[in-house]
Amino acid sequence: MHISAFVSHSLENNMKKFNIRKVLDGLTAASSSSSSAAAASPQSGNDMIQETLQSEHFQLCKTVRHGFPYQPSSMAFDPVQKILAIGTQSGALRLFGRAGVECYCQHESGSAVIQLEFLVNVGALVSALADDSIHLWNLRQKLPAVLHSLKFNRERITFCHLPFQSKWLYVGTERGNIHIVNVESFTLSGYVIMWNKAIELSSKTHPGPVVHISDNPMDEGKLLIGFECGIVVLWDLKSKKADYRYNYDEAIHSVAWHHEGKQFVCSHSDGTLTTWNVRAPAKPAQIITPHGKQPKDGKKPEPCKPILKVEYKTTRAGDPFMILCGGLSYDTVGRRACLTVMHGKSTAVLEMDYPIVDFLTLCETPYPNDFQEPYAVVVLLEKDLVVIDLAQIGYPIFENPYPLSIHESPVTCCEYFADCPAEAIPALYSVGSRQKRQGFSKKEWPISAGNWGQGTLSFSEIIITGHADGSIKFWDASALMLQVLYKLKTAKVFDKPRSKEEKSSTDIVDEDPFAIQMLSWCPESRVLCVAGVSAHVIVYRFSKQEVTTEVVQLLEVRMQCELNEVESPEGGGDQASAVSTPGTAPSPQTSLPQSHPSTSSNNSCDGLRDNVPCLKVRSSPLKQFPGYHVELLIQLVWVSGEPPQQITSLAINSAYGLVAFGNGNGLAVVDYIQKTLLLNVTTAELYGSTDPHHRQPRSPRKTRQPSAGLCDGNDASAAPEERCKSPTSAKISRKINMLADQKDDARDNSFSRSRSSSVTSIDRESREVISSFYFCDSLSKKSETLAVPSLWVGTSLGSMLAIALTVPSTPEQRMQQPVGVSFCGSVVRLKGAILRMAQLDASGTVLPHIYEPWYEPNAPEEERERPRRRRPTSPPSSQENQDCQYAVVCSEKQAKVVALPSQHCIFEHNITEASFVLRADVVTMTAGVAIACFCANGHIMTLSLPSLRPLLDVNYLPLTDMRIARTFCFSNQGQALYLTSPTEIQRITYSQETCENLQEMLGEMFTLVETPEAPNRGFFKGLFGGGAQSLDREDLFGEVAAGKASRSLAQHIPGPGGMEGMKGAASGVVGELARARIALDERGQKLGELEERTAAMMASADSFSKHAHDMMLKYKDKKWYQL
């Protein structure tokens, strides 16, 4: 199994800063606001439960980050190690090796990474940032760390160059100067190339910033410097003067050498490429405009868009490659970004899906003075990474093994299932493998660095993401890696409008009408239920066969509420009255897509839309490939000119064959086996005669809901790709804004005002919304002694109510007899909206949800009729006055544990006063069960069950943005995740065990690889001096020769990784540099470090001896008083 080596450097370095409060046992009654209160007598039986989870079992740390680097800005490649590095505009650094080996780290400043340079095959990387700092990263450890930093004070960095196997980094600046940095010590050399010395003295204008630096491949003593204005200078490092100057009247964007060092190519702002012979600076040897139209009269072609980058790569057996981006004609308006590959007489223009950020050509040799033999091009796009195979006809792309398609459509919801059935992943993979695209390169993925980690997690993990285009993706998240398993397109169920003019007037959102709002999945039965933003619910079954559905099964539901203004009574304690009010709502017949129930009309007498759904169902046959097949489509319809309310809660249960969904009007329960509506009631009807709220008549409403869809309120003006989608944005953004208003120092935080600014708090909303569901076998009535199928309902005003269900026992009866329903009234009330409900048995163990094992729904009739039994359970039986179940209920403000059937609250805990809980889950750990909570103020907390003792409280994120608020989810075994950017998933763990084993589970990015042999100079080149000329840079740039640089120019900052680790890592990096130089000594191309120092010492000794001899001759005949 692939193991993803994903690094969270910033958290590891800052863990000590976290305010971690681990509450010891026995201290929980110290404060009423943060303690559990036992509300039952000591003899109630709950004291008998032995809790095994302690605070020592919890620790919070980041594990891995998946997805495409958000807003990439730069890229580099190590041709020996085969590591790809990508920097972003937020200062993040992502390293990619072989499939499953990835790494993430973060610059503390958060400034954009403008350039990256590898110390090839050394395990080190230099990054240059927009804040004019450069950093040296050590990649030889699993968690890369900064060894040194250098902050420039007076000049702005524009370009860097680090020659192969050199320790001297050239840094070009906005002023046109070039400074030189020793990467071993990260100190500046006194050797500086000033712009006024580089250009002609007669020139009175400033040449602009340095846009290019490179040394001649055949002569390290010659440095090519490109200035923005169009001047290129070949600088002699030894004589400290310019050998040649090349002038062109168009701005330069990039420069590339021919490997023999006799020619170079410049790309310009007018779309031209100029080729220069080194010894002929008067005019270019060639000027071409790759995409320019050639006029017949011989005039210059029309100018084109700038060529932003060009690379010139030679081959031993054929024509060289010229690869460039940009340069298209100005008349190609609206054309997508292109990469142009010129090879011999052929020119290929490769269109990209997104704008190009950077590209790199991968070559067989790391030596710049040899035939380059290019074999691939890595193209970094704004939202994708593409690798093109140059060796195959047609330039096919490589199949990308990284999970970079999370953002293919914006993520609108996310669910995480750890410790799911082992057979679920192979089943999804088998159907998903048929969806893969064809036509990829047959070669191996060329980025192949690193090794997978050794430790593994023993459980299967699946992540499901819902997207704005209605698609759903299943991901294998086992063993700290991520791989897409299967993609489902829910929009296929509907007719898509071809244009904006064809959009239905019944739409309740202006964009993304198929967006997934929430989902409910049963891993054991593989039944999937999704709710969309257009008030629709789709039930899917998993099948390994291909079928064609002539007509999609449709059920239209009319949900309306006559009483919605609520005045909540004071207090809100435990009003646990059980009212048995049998009531089964009428079940309308399933209607075909083309028709509606005969009792309704599309328009009422006053012209208002009525009984029409928001989306038009597909009228043609639907071909369904192996995977998820539509079982039933449920659509809420318009009622008397009012659009249906968006769905706020959803649950499905395969053992009962029921799906429940709710919104601001009430709740509905649908029997997806019989395809009938079982229940459709308002919230008030659930209470019966014991409704604690005083409800006012319904106030007039607008005929159209806000068309925000799943967009966050704070992203109304953002670009479509940057919009942060949220299914509950109206509620969460209002509440988060209220919190932000309470903080004086948080006025400029990431939460902007909600679109409905008149409403500042969800607490002022008068409508009681259905906020959560839970199916279980429970003792929902006080008089019950035997657990019966039940549906627990949670509302936004803190009520938990119960509905008892009578489900026919045999499959035959289940197909024919209706499911019975009876209302049990309110069980318990809490502060804030109910977020999560769960059930414990008498021993305090969480009761797993009831399910039906998966079977093939499209199997032959004789096989399908076999008896199917749901998972056998031992339903608890209650003796008189004996509690044998516990209901766990968690709201936005507090958690309660209620004994059943007595309905006594035995434990209560106020989770937060100033903030509110965004996400709560009842999770199973190796050592026990707990409630995990994520608050809007960024705190992550865990509470023990059933006593609700606080076990962990970490201030993880000081200010939570909307994206994190809606995607954060916990799972079993201490796992959690959230969307940290529109393109990236951040996984974290709150398990002490996982934190301790994380180092073993992470892979290694750097491995020991031998550097290839340098190219053979050949007999005649060696004899006549035609080979590559080496340079002793130490003699030029060292402190002895060049002196010290000005202290005010740049400030050296030691790395934050601790001195011991820094020394060890530095010695490894420096030692590798020394070994590389010694290897070159053996090949006779350079003097080794030892020989250099010996020669320097000998020269110093000779100088001292000569100086001493001269002094002796000068003074030998003088007396002491003459001195």
Side-chain angles (χ1 to χ4, degrees):
M1 190 67 73
H2 295 179
I3 295 184
S4 174
F6 228 97
V7 176
S8 172
H9 164 66
S10 60
L11 181 74
E12 293 295 330
N13 284 345
N14 294 317
M15 276 298 290
K16 294 180 181 178
K17 299 177 184 178
F18 281 169
N19 178 23
I20 300 179
R21 187 180 75 235
K22 291 189 174 181
V23 184
L24 298 177
D25 303 340
L27 298 180
T28 57
S31 170
S32 60
S33 63
S34 62
S35 67
S36 301
S41 63
Q43 291 81 19
S44 62
N46 55 70
D47 295 334
M48 305 287 290
I49 298 174
Q50 184 69 35
E51 291 185 4
T52 52
L53 269 182
Q54 306 297 331
S55 59
E56 296 78 45
H57 292 113
F58 295 94
Q59 182 183 340
L60 192 70
C61 69
K62 290 180 181 177
T63 53
V64 293
R65 180 173 292 201
H66 303 297
F68 182 76
Y70 183 54
Q71 295 181 331
S73 56
S74 56
M75 177 172 61
F77 183 71
D78 186 323
V80 179
Q81 284 287 320
K82 304 283 199 277
I83 304 173
L84 180 72
I86 297 177
T88 74
Q89 292 181 26
S90 60
L93 195 60
R94 293 282 296 278
L95 303 172
F96 295 89
R98 64 168 64 188
V101 179
E102 300 176 32
C103 205
Y104 160 76
C105 30
Q106 175 73 41
H107 292 90
E108 286 188 4
S109 68
S111 295
V113 180
I114 58 173
Q115 198 172 345
L116 294 168
E117 291 280 323
F118 272 103
L119 279 71
V120 176
N121 202 28
V122 172
L125 175 71
V126 173
S127 58
L129 271 57
D131 65 354
D132 309 310
S133 63
I134 55 176
H135 308 268
L136 178 66
W137 289 86
N138 173 30
L139 309 183
R140 289 172 166 254
Q141 55 196 60
K142 290 188 175 181
L143 301 174
V146 173
L147 297 173
H148 300 280
S149 297
L150 197 64
K151 181 77 167 65
F152 281 74
N153 298 322
R154 299 200 304 242
E155 298 196 52
R156 307 221 63 182
I157 297 172
T158 55
F159 194 88
C160 297
H161 171 61
L162 181 65
F164 178 51
Q165 292 183 327
S166 168
K167 70 172 184 179
W168 298 97
L169 174 74
Y170 300 103
V171 180
T173 69
E174 198 172 47
R175 292 187 182 179
N177 304 323
I178 294 176
H179 302 278
I180 301 166
V181 178
N182 183 332
V183 295
E184 289 184 358
S185 60
F186 244 55
T187 54
L188 276 172
S189 166
Y191 191 114
V192 182
I193 303 173
M194 306 299 289
W195 68 270
N196 53 352
K197 292 184 178 179
I199 66 171
E200 292 183 71
L201 297 176
S202 59
S203 176
K204 295 181 180 179
T205 57
H206 191 279
V210 175
V211 295
H212 178 83
I213 307 170
S214 60
D215 46 347
N216 187 317
M218 285 294 181
D219 189 350
E220 295 174 353
K222 309 292 185 182
L223 198 67
L224 196 68
I225 307 167
F227 296 95
E228 189 180 63
C229 69
I231 297 175
V232 179
V233 176
L234 188 67
W235 181 263
D236 189 309
L237 290 168
K238 291 180 179 177
S239 63
K240 299 183 181 180
K241 65 179 183 180
D243 281 356
Y244 301 103
R245 296 180 178 91
Y246 314 85
N247 286 283
Y248 193 70
D249 55 4
E250 291 291 339
I252 289 177
H253 284 276
S254 71
V255 183
W257 279 102
H258 185 282
H259 85 274
E260 291 180 345
K262 297 175 181 177
Q263 277 189 338
F264 61 89
V265 178
C266 300
S267 72
H268 298 277
S269 58
D270 63 345
T272 58
L273 294 173
T274 55
T275 303
W276 300 81
N277 290 325
V278 170
R279 297 180 182 275
K283 65 174 185 176
Q286 185 184 39
I287 303 175
I288 60 170
T289 308
H291 296 287
K293 295 178 181 177
Q294 298 293 336
K296 294 180 180 178
D297 54 6
K299 294 183 180 179
K300 286 180 66 177
E302 293 181 4
C304 295
K305 296 175 184 177
I307 297 176
L308 302 176
K309 185 175 183 179
V310 63
E311 291 202 345
Y312 192 12
K313 303 298 179 182
T314 54
T315 60
R316 201 177 300 274
D319 295 313
F321 281 87
M322 194 93 74
I323 303 166
L324 54 106
C325 69
L328 294 178
S329 173
Y330 279 104
D331 61 12
T332 56
V333 178
R335 188 171 180 179
R336 294 188 294 184
C338 294
L339 187 81
T340 304
V341 180
M342 302 167 67
H343 184 222
K345 294 181 179 180
S346 70
T347 299
V349 180
L350 310 176
E351 281 198 344
M352 301 292 155
D353 291 336
Y354 305 103
I356 297 173
V357 176
D358 195 5
F359 74 88
L360 293 170
T361 308
L362 308 189
C363 301
E364 295 289 352
T365 177
Y367 293 93
N369 58 354
D370 194 10
F371 286 98
Q372 298 298 287
E373 304 295 347
Y375 61 89
V377 181
V378 181
V379 189
L380 178 62
L381 308 177
E382 282 187 1
K383 291 186 178 180
D384 202 2
L385 181 71
V386 177
V387 182
I388 299 164
D389 187 349
L390 291 178
Q392 291 189 36
I393 297 173
Y395 304 132
I397 65 171
F398 289 85
E399 185 175 8
N400 198 319
Y402 310 131
L404 302 183
S405 62
I406 293 170
H407 63 289
E408 190 175 17
S409 173
V411 176
T412 54
C413 72
C414 190
E415 292 295 337
Y416 190 6
F417 299 86
D419 206 8
C420 55
E423 65 273 10
I425 290 176
L428 289 163
Y429 181 81
S430 66
V431 295
S433 59
R434 307 179 195 187
Q435 299 176 328
K436 288 191 176 180
R437 288 172 49 197
Q438 303 299 317
F440 291 110
S441 169
K442 300 289 188 273
K443 293 187 178 180
E444 291 285 328
W445 180 252
I447 303 162
S448 56
N451 290 321
W452 301 312
Q454 301 302 314
T456 59
L457 297 171
S458 58
F459 47 85
S460 301
E461 299 172 77
I462 291 177
I463 295 170
I464 306 178
T465 53
H467 299 264
D469 63 354
S471 62
I472 294 172
K473 289 181 181 177
F474 290 78
W475 304 83
D476 178 6
S478 307
L480 294 186
M481 55 86 70
L482 194 69
Q483 178 183 8
V484 69
L485 292 171
Y486 172 73
K487 181 179 178 180
L488 170 65
K489 297 179 180 179
T490 65
K492 286 185 175 180
V493 178
F494 304 101
D495 276 339
K496 290 185 180 179
R498 292 188 181 88
S499 63
K500 289 185 177 180
E501 290 73 24
E502 290 186 33
K503 286 186 72 173
S504 169
S505 61
T506 58
D507 284 0
I508 59 174
V509 289
D510 287 341
E511 55 188 16
D512 302 330
F514 310 114
I516 305 300
Q517 191 158 350
M518 57 187 61
L519 57 90
S520 176
W521 185 54
C522 175
E524 291 81 9
S525 65
R526 303 178 201 166
V527 174
L528 173 69
C529 184
V530 298
V533 72
S534 295
H536 61 275
V537 174
I538 311 176
V539 180
Y540 288 92
R541 281 190 186 272
F542 184 83
S543 173
K544 294 182 179 179
Q545 298 184 13
E546 181 180 313
V547 298
T548 299
T549 304
E550 296 296 329
V551 178
V552 174
Q553 292 285 305
L554 172 65
L555 188 65
E556 292 181 350
V557 178
R558 182 184 177 94
M559 296 181 75
Q560 59 184 335
C561 181
E562 298 303 327
L563 300 172
N564 65 357
E565 300 294 328
V566 174
E567 294 178 12
S568 185
E570 294 298 322
D574 301 334
Q575 300 188 11
S577 58
V579 180
S580 181
T581 312
T584 304
S587 301
Q589 296 297 316
T590 303
S591 57
L592 296 178
Q594 303 90 328
S595 63
H596 295 279
S598 57
T599 57
S600 64
S601 61
N602 290 357
N603 293 284
S604 59
C605 57
D606 57 358
L608 296 176
R609 285 187 289 271
D610 192 53
N611 270 10
V612 288
C614 302
L615 299 175
K616 187 180 178 183
V617 182
R618 182 191 185 104
S619 54
S620 58
L622 175 63
K623 189 174 184 180
Q624 304 196 79
F625 296 98
Y628 274 100
H629 295 176
V630 178
E631 178 80 4
L632 178 64
L633 167 63
I634 306 162
Q635 285 187 293
L636 302 189
V637 296
W638 286 65
V639 178
S640 303
E642 286 194 23
Q645 294 286 309
Q646 289 189 350
I647 292 162
T648 56
S649 53
L650 178 72
I652 193 165
N653 186 274
S654 59
Y656 305 155
L658 302 178
V659 57
F661 54 91
N663 59 17
N665 287 336
L667 69 91
V669 180
V670 169
D671 183 339
Y672 67 80
I673 294 177
Q674 296 187 22
K675 313 292 190 297
T676 57
L677 180 63
L678 185 66
L679 189 66
N680 181 5
V681 295
T682 64
T683 315
E685 291 175 293
L686 284 174
Y687 292 100
S689 60
T690 61
D691 190 349
H693 308 292
H694 304 291
R695 302 176 190 267
Q696 302 298 322
R698 184 166 61 97
S699 58
R701 295 179 61 86
K702 294 179 181 179
T703 59
R704 191 172 176 84
Q705 288 183 317
S707 57
L710 297 189
C711 313
D712 288 342
N714 60 335
D715 287 328
S717 61
E721 66 272 9
E722 295 175 357
R723 282 186 285 112
C724 188
K725 305 278 184 170
S726 171
T728 53
S729 60
K731 170 183 165 184
I732 295 177
S733 64
R734 281 197 291 269
K735 299 187 75 173
I736 290 181
N737 288 326
M738 180 183 67
L739 283 177
D741 290 339
Q742 294 172 355
K743 298 187 178 184
D744 295 333
D745 59 343
R747 291 183 181 177
D748 296 325
N749 61 32
S750 58
F751 310 126
S752 60
R753 296 296 169 261
S754 167
R755 291 184 181 180
S756 41
S757 56
S758 61
V759 183
T760 57
S761 170
I762 194 69
D763 297 329
R764 297 182 192 173
E765 291 188 1
S766 56
R767 180 172 298 221
E768 186 171 21
V769 176
I770 304 297
S771 58
S772 59
F773 290 114
Y774 185 70
F775 282 104
C776 61
D777 279 357
S778 74
L779 302 160
S780 298
K781 299 178 184 177
K782 288 183 177 179
S783 58
E784 282 180 337
T785 59
L786 191 66
V788 297
S790 304
L791 172 62
W792 292 352
V793 182
T795 77
S796 60
L797 296 184
S799 292
M800 174 197 159
L801 306 108
I803 299 173
L805 307 167
T806 306
V807 182
S809 55
T810 65
E812 294 77 15
Q813 293 173 337
R814 181 66 185 85
M815 292 297 294
Q816 298 168 1
Q817 298 178 10
V819 176
V821 177
S822 63
F823 299 159
C824 304
S826 177
V827 176
V828 67
R829 292 193 62 218
L830 286 77
K831 298 175 188 174
I834 305 293
L835 300 178
R836 189 69 57 194
M837 295 172 285
Q839 191 181 26
L840 306 180
D841 64 14
S843 65
T845 305
V846 67
L847 286 171
H849 68 278
I850 300 169
Y851 61 86
E852 177 185 65
W854 176 80
Y855 65 94
E856 175 56 64
N858 297 310
E861 204 63 36
E862 61 274 8
E863 292 182 29
R864 209 191 314 173
E865 289 303 318
R866 71 188 191 280
R868 299 187 301 270
R869 294 182 299 169
R870 64 186 183 187
R871 179 187 59 79
T873 60
S874 51
S877 58
S878 173
Q879 299 175 2
E880 197 68 29
N881 300 322
Q882 182 71 39
D883 291 326
C884 61
Q885 276 189 350
Y886 300 100
V888 179
V889 190
C890 186
S891 75
E892 294 173 321
K893 292 288 188 181
Q894 61 181 180
K896 289 186 180 182
V897 175
V898 180
L900 299 176
S902 68
Q903 299 187 1
H904 289 313
C905 177
I906 59 169
F907 291 106
E908 178 180 348
H909 177 75
N910 293 326
I911 300 171
T912 178
E913 294 293 342
S915 184
F916 62 96
V917 178
L918 288 167
R919 176 80 185 213
D921 288 286
V922 175
V923 294
T924 302
M925 306 280 288
T926 307
V929 187
I931 298 177
C933 302
F934 175 59
C935 288
N937 60 7
H939 281 252
I940 291 177
M941 292 176 274
T942 60
L943 307 173
S944 70
L945 284 174
S947 68
L948 301 178
R949 287 178 298 112
L951 299 175
L952 174 76
D953 187 350
V954 177
N955 187 8
Y956 178 65
L957 295 165
L959 279 174
T960 305
D961 64 22
M962 282 299 301
R963 183 182 305 105
I964 297 173
R966 72 184 158 72
T967 57
F968 199 104
C969 47
F970 295 98
S971 193
N972 294 329
Q973 304 300 331
Q975 307 301 311
L977 64 80
Y978 58 91
L979 227 69
T980 187
S981 74
T983 62
E984 295 166 292
I985 287 176
Q986 178 66 58
R987 289 165 69 178
I988 63 175
T989 182
Y990 49 95
S991 163
Q992 170 73 28
E993 184 181 4
T994 306
C995 287
E996 288 179 352
N997 298 327
L998 186 59
Q999 280 285 344
E1000 290 181 27
M1001 292 186 281
L1002 294 174
E1004 291 178 305
M1005 187 62 67
F1006 177 83
T1007 54
L1008 291 175
V1009 180
E1010 192 172 339
T1011 303
E1013 291 242 353
N1016 191 351
R1017 294 173 65 183
F1019 174 75
F1020 290 104
K1021 285 187 177 181
L1023 186 65
F1024 298 109
Q1029 302 296 309
S1030 61
L1031 172 73
D1032 188 352
R1033 294 186 178 92
E1034 186 74 40
D1035 272 359
L1036 287 176
F1037 306 146
E1039 192 174 315
V1040 174
K1044 289 185 177 182
S1046 169
R1047 287 188 177 183
S1048 61
L1049 184 62
Q1051 175 188 0
H1052 178 261
I1053 305 166
M1059 289 305 294
E1060 285 187 18
M1062 194 176 82
K1063 287 176 182 174
S1067 65
V1069 173
V1070 175
E1072 190 65 27
L1073 281 169
R1075 283 193 289 274
R1077 285 197 295 274
I1078 291 169
L1080 289 173
D1081 294 344
E1082 294 170 354
R1083 290 191 282 269
Q1085 292 191 20
K1086 289 186 178 181
L1087 289 171
E1089 187 178 50
L1090 181 62
E1091 291 160 320
E1092 291 176 16
R1093 290 180 179 174
T1094 303
M1097 289 173 66
M1098 288 176 64
S1100 178
D1102 288 344
S1103 175
F1104 179 81
S1105 173
K1106 184 174 181 297
H1107 183 70
H1109 185 68
D1110 290 344
M1111 292 284 289
M1112 183 268 293
L1113 291 176
K1114 183 177 180 181
Y1115 297 114
K1116 71 174 184 176
D1117 296 326
K1118 294 187 178 182
K1119 304 295 182 182
W1120 64 269
Y1121 51 83
Q1122 294 176 314
L1123 296 177

